[in-house]
C-alpha cells in the first residue's frame, strides 16, 4: 500500500544537548530536496559530509547527510537523515530550514505510522518500537525487541493459519451436504480444534508475561504511622525516595515511585498514615491514599512486629477485592522470624532496616503479579493484544460448543472466521482509523 504522502520532518533525537542531533525527513523526491539543502544529490545509503545551507547559501551547520531511497527505508518512503550538532538551537534552526523548503512538522509517531501504512511493520511491531524506546529494564527491552523482530506477529500468524486450514476443511464439508455428518464427526476436526486451543493458551501465556512486564504491579503501601512504610519503600527502591522520620504522620502525600524487581516494574504508592483526624493537609493525604488504592493491584500492609496492631481493623480500611500482603516489619527489634509466616506468603517477617526478609517479599510480589522473570520467550504485549487473543479464543470455544451440540458446520465455520478476523486486529489487518490514531499519537515525535 504505497501512498503518496507529503513531506514530514522532525528532530529525532531527544530534547537537550548532545554530541549529535538528528533531523529526520520522510516523503517524496528527497534526493532533489537534499540538493536544495546541501548543493548536491547524495548517493543512496552513503554518509556524506555536508553543509546544511540557509536561504542565502550560508552554512547553518555542518554534518552528515544520509539518503535512503524508497522503498528500502524505515518508512518505505524516501528518508533523509541530517546529523548535525546536538544543540537545541542549532537543531531548531535546521528544522525551520527544512520546513521553509517545504516539509511540515511530523506528528508524534508519524514515521512509524507511515512504516505501518507502507507494510514495513505490522501494528504489533510498530507498538513494539514504542515499547522498546519506553523499556525501563533490560528484560523489557529484550521482550520488545522480540516483538519488533516479528516473533509475536509470526506466532499470531501461525495461529491464524491453523484457523484458516480448519475452516477450509469445515467449509468443504458443508459444500458436500450428504457427507457433512461424516466429515464433521471425523476426529480430525476435534483434534485440530484442541490443537488450536492449546496454541491459544501458549500465545496467551507469552503475551501475558509481556503485559505484566510492560504494565507492572501497582502496589499500595498501607499501615499505621511509624510502622516503617517509607523505610520499606526506600528498601525496595534502593535509594532514599521517601522522607523517613520518627514523627508520626510525616508522609503526608501520596508518593509514587517506580522501581524494578528483576524487570517487573513496581509502581509503589506510599500513602499518608491512614489516621483519623489530623490537619487539612493530612486529611487530603488520606483522601488521596484511598483514591490510589482503588486502582491498585495489591496492598502491602506494613505493621510493626513489636506491637502487632489489630490487623483485622487495619484491613477494614482496605478495598476488599485487593490481595493483601502483611509485612511484619522491624523483626530486628521484635526478634520475630524472617520470611513467610504462612503457606500462602500472605504474612512475611522482615526488616526494612537490615534487609532481612526483603527477598521473600520480592518473590511474593512477583508471584502476585504472575511474573516469571528470565522467560526468554516473552513477547512485549499490550492489553489490546490480550483482549484480541481472548475474544478470538471465545469464538473458537463457541464454535466447538456448536459442533458438539448440533454438529453444525456452518456455525463452526463462522466462529472460526470471526476468530481469524479478531486475531487480525493485533497485526492491524482489521483495525479502525480510530485505533491507529490512538496508538501512534502516544509515540514520541520523530519516531
Ligand atoms: P512510616 O510512617 O510507616 O512511613 O514509617 P517510617 O518508614 O517513617 O519509619 C518510622 C521509624 O521506624 C523510623 O525511625 C525508621 O527508621 C524506623 N524503622 C523502619 N523500619 C525499621 C526496621 O525494620 N527496623 C528498625 N529498627 N527500625 C525501623
Ligand atoms: Zn512514611
Amino acid at each position: 500500500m504505497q501512498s503518496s504522502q507529503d513531506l514530514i520532518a522532525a528532530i529525532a533525537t531527544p530534547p537537550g544537548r548532545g554530541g549529535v542531533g538528528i533531523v529526520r525527513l520522510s516523503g517524496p523526491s528527497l534526493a532533489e530536496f537534499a540538493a536544495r539543502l546541501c548543493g548536491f544529490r547524495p548517493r543512496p545509503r552513503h554518509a556524506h559530509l555536508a553543509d546544511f545551507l540557509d536561504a542565502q547559501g550560508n552554512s547553518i551547520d555542518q554534518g552528515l547527510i544520509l539518503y535512503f531511497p524508497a522503498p528500502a527505508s524505515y518508512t518505505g518512503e524516501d528518508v533523509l537523515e541530517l546529523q548535525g550538532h546536538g544543540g537545541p538551537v542549532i537543531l531548531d534552526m535546521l528544522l525551520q530550514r527544512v520546513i521553509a523548503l517545504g516539509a511540515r512538522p511530523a506528528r508524534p509517531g508519524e514515521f512509524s505510522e507511515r512504516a505501518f501504512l507502507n507494510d514495513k511493520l505490522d501494528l504489533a511491531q510498530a507498538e513494539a518500537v514504542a515499547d522498546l524506546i519506553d523499556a525501563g529494564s533490560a528484560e523489557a527491552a529484550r521482550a520488545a525487541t522480540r516483538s519488533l523482530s516479528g516473533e509475536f506477529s509470526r506466532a499470531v500468524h501461525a495461529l491464524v493459519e491453523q484457523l484458516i486450514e480448519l475452516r477450509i476443511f469445515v467449509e468443504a464439508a458443508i459444500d458436500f451436504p450428504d457427507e457433512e455428518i461424516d466429515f464433521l464427526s471425523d476426529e480430525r476436526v476435534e483434534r485440530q480444534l484442541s490443537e488450536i486451543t492449546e496454541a491459544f493458551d501458549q500465545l496467551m501465556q507469552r503475551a501475558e508475561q509481556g503485559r505484566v512486564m510492560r504494565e507492572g504491579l501497582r502496589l499500595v503501601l498501607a499501615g499505621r504511622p511509624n510502622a516503617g512504610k517509607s523505610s520499606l519503600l526506600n528498601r525496595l527502591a534502593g535509594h532514599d525516595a521517601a522522607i523517613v522520620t520518627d514523627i508520626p504522620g510525616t508522609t503526608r502525600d501520596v508518593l509514587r515511585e517506580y522501581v524494578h524487581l528483576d524487570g517487573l516494574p513496581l509502581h509503589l504508592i506510599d500513602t499518608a498514615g491512614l489516621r483519623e483526624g489530623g490537619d487539612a493537609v493530612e486529611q487530603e493525604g488520606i483522601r488521596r491514599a484511598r483514591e490510589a488504592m482503588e486502582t491498585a493491584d495489591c496492598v502491602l500492609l506494613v505493621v510493626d512486629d513489636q506491637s502487632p496492631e489489630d490487623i483485622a481493623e487495619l484491613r477494614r480500611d482496605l478495598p476488599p477485592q485487593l490481595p493483601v500482603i502483611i509485612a511484619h516489619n522491624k523483626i530486628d527489634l521484635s526478634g520475630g522470624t524472617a520470611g513467610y509466616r504462612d503457606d500462602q506468603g500472605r504474612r512475611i517477617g522482615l526488616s526494612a532496616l537490615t534487609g532481612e526478609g526483603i527477598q521473600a517479599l520480592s518473590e511474593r510480589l512477583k508471584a502476585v503479579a504472575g511474573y516469571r522473570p528470565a522467560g526468554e520467550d516473552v513477547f512485549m504485549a499490550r492489553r489490546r493484544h490480550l483482549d484480541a487473543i481472548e475474544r478470538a479464543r471465545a469464538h473458537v470455544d463457541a464454535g466447538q460448543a456448536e459442533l458438539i451440540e448440533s454438529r453444525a458446520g456452518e456455525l463452526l465455520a463462522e466462529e472460526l472466521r470471526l476468530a481469524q478476523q479478531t486475531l487480525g486486529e493485533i497485526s492491524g489487518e482489521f483495525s479502525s482509523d480510530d485505533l491507529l490514531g490512538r496508538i501512534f499519537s502516544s509515540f514520541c515525535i520523530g519516531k
Side-chain angles (χ1 to χ4, degrees):
M1 174 174 21
Q2 267 284 356
S3 45
S4 73
Q5 295 267 23
D6 57 352
L7 176 58
I8 55 172
I11 299 171
T13 37
R17 302 181 320 160
V20 176
I22 298 175
V23 171
R24 177 143 80 157
L25 297 105
S26 180
S29 313
L30 287 191
E32 292 72 26
F33 185 93
R36 286 190 285 147
L37 179 68
C38 303
F40 66 93
R41 289 174 63 106
R43 283 168 65 196
R45 296 175 299 281
H46 278 254
H48 296 269
L49 186 63
D51 281 306
F52 309 133
L53 305 172
D54 67 13
Q56 285 73 46
N58 300 317
S59 181
I60 298 168
D61 191 10
Q62 196 179 54
L64 295 181
I65 182 165
L66 292 156
Y67 168 48
F68 303 94
S73 71
Y74 179 67
T75 60
E77 305 173 332
D78 281 2
V79 167
L80 267 190
E81 246 185 60
L82 311 173
Q83 306 191 351
H85 292 90
V89 172
I90 195 78
L91 283 173
D92 193 55
M93 286 165 70
L94 190 52
L95 181 63
Q96 293 313 319
R97 176 61 183 146
V98 299
I99 287 169
L101 286 172
R104 72 162 168 81
R107 294 189 305 269
E110 201 170 3
F111 290 89
S112 299
E113 185 175 7
R114 290 185 176 196
F116 168 71
L117 292 173
N118 290 324
D119 289 332
K120 303 297 278 189
L121 296 169
D122 69 24
L123 200 50
Q125 287 175 300
E127 290 170 311
V129 170
D131 291 339
L132 179 58
I133 291 171
D134 290 340
S137 67
E139 290 86 349
R142 277 200 293 274
T145 304
R146 229 168 274 131
S147 291
L148 177 56
S149 75
E151 245 188 83
F152 179 45
S153 304
R154 279 192 294 278
V156 173
H157 195 74
L159 190 46
V160 168
E161 291 291 313
Q162 276 178 284
L163 290 168
I164 291 173
E165 192 191 328
L166 181 56
R167 181 158 67 88
I168 288 171
F169 182 78
V170 173
E171 278 173 357
I174 297 165
D175 289 341
F176 299 95
D178 293 346
E179 293 160 70
E180 180 175 356
I181 302 297
D182 292 347
F183 262 109
L184 294 178
S185 52
D186 188 336
E187 67 179 27
R188 173 176 161 175
V189 173
E190 263 153 46
R191 197 185 64 239
Q192 282 197 13
L193 272 172
S194 73
E195 278 170 16
I196 285 171
T197 44
E198 191 166 311
F200 263 107
D201 289 345
Q202 276 181 14
L203 185 66
M204 193 66 184
Q205 268 175 26
R206 298 175 72 180
E208 171 62 18
Q209 284 301 299
R211 186 199 61 77
V212 168
M213 199 182 260
R214 184 168 182 274
E215 296 186 354
L217 186 72
R218 291 175 56 81
L219 182 70
V220 170
L221 282 171
R224 294 251 162 80
N226 261 353
K229 296 180 297 299
S230 303
S231 306
L232 195 52
L233 183 153
N234 288 343
R235 176 57 78 169
L236 286 169
H239 62 93
D240 284 359
I243 319 153
V244 182
T245 72
D246 44 16
I247 308 161
T250 315
T251 314
R252 292 193 161 173
D253 205 347
V254 177
L255 190 138
R256 286 157 196 281
E257 179 72 350
Y258 179 76
V259 297
H260 287 275
L261 290 179
D262 294 340
L264 171 68
L266 271 190
H267 303 271
L268 297 167
I269 304 157
D270 187 17
T271 63
L274 289 172
R275 209 175 48 153
E276 301 302 324
D279 59 21
V281 181
E282 214 151 64
Q283 290 289 341
E284 175 60 13
I286 291 167
R287 194 191 63 76
R288 290 195 204 178
R290 297 203 187 286
E291 197 178 86
M293 271 193 258
E294 294 303 321
T295 57
D297 298 309
C298 179
V299 175
L300 182 60
L301 179 56
V302 184
V303 298
D304 186 334
D305 199 39
Q306 296 171 104
S307 52
E309 298 109 305
D310 188 348
I311 289 169
E313 189 195 315
L314 286 166
R315 287 188 71 146
R316 264 207 303 277
D317 286 340
L318 304 170
Q321 76 281 5
L322 289 182
V324 178
I325 300 171
I326 302 168
H328 291 261
N329 190 29
K330 310 194 186 183
I331 58 165
D332 56 300
L333 297 178
S334 71
T337 50
Y340 294 162
R341 292 189 180 177
D342 64 354
D343 291 344
Q344 290 83 36
R346 283 187 300 225
R347 290 164 175 273
I348 301 169
L350 50 80
S351 166
L353 188 73
T354 66
E356 263 185 299
I358 296 291
Q359 186 59 31
L361 175 62
S362 144
E363 293 305 324
R364 184 69 207 134
L365 291 171
K366 282 184 265 181
V368 169
Y371 181 60
R372 299 184 318 266
E376 278 309 309
D377 59 351
V378 173
F379 300 127
M380 193 45 86
R382 303 181 172 205
R383 267 187 207 282
R384 162 185 109 70
H385 304 145
L386 295 176
D387 177 60
I389 296 170
E390 248 162 35
R391 281 184 291 118
R393 163 83 196 244
H395 282 301
V396 172
D397 289 347
Q400 197 166 19
E402 291 292 353
L403 182 69
I404 290 166
E405 202 157 289
S406 54
R407 318 260 8 128
E410 287 88 349
L411 295 175
L412 173 59
E414 174 61 7
E415 294 293 351
L416 291 172
R417 191 187 64 77
L418 290 171
Q420 178 192 340
Q421 184 170 330
T422 306
L423 284 180
E425 291 173 17
I426 295 175
S427 62
E429 215 175 313
F430 298 95
S431 50
S432 63
D433 289 349
D434 216 37
L435 174 70
L436 296 181
R438 242 181 304 132
I439 289 172
F440 288 108
S441 64
S442 69
F443 280 40
C444 35
I445 288 186
K447 192 65 232 176

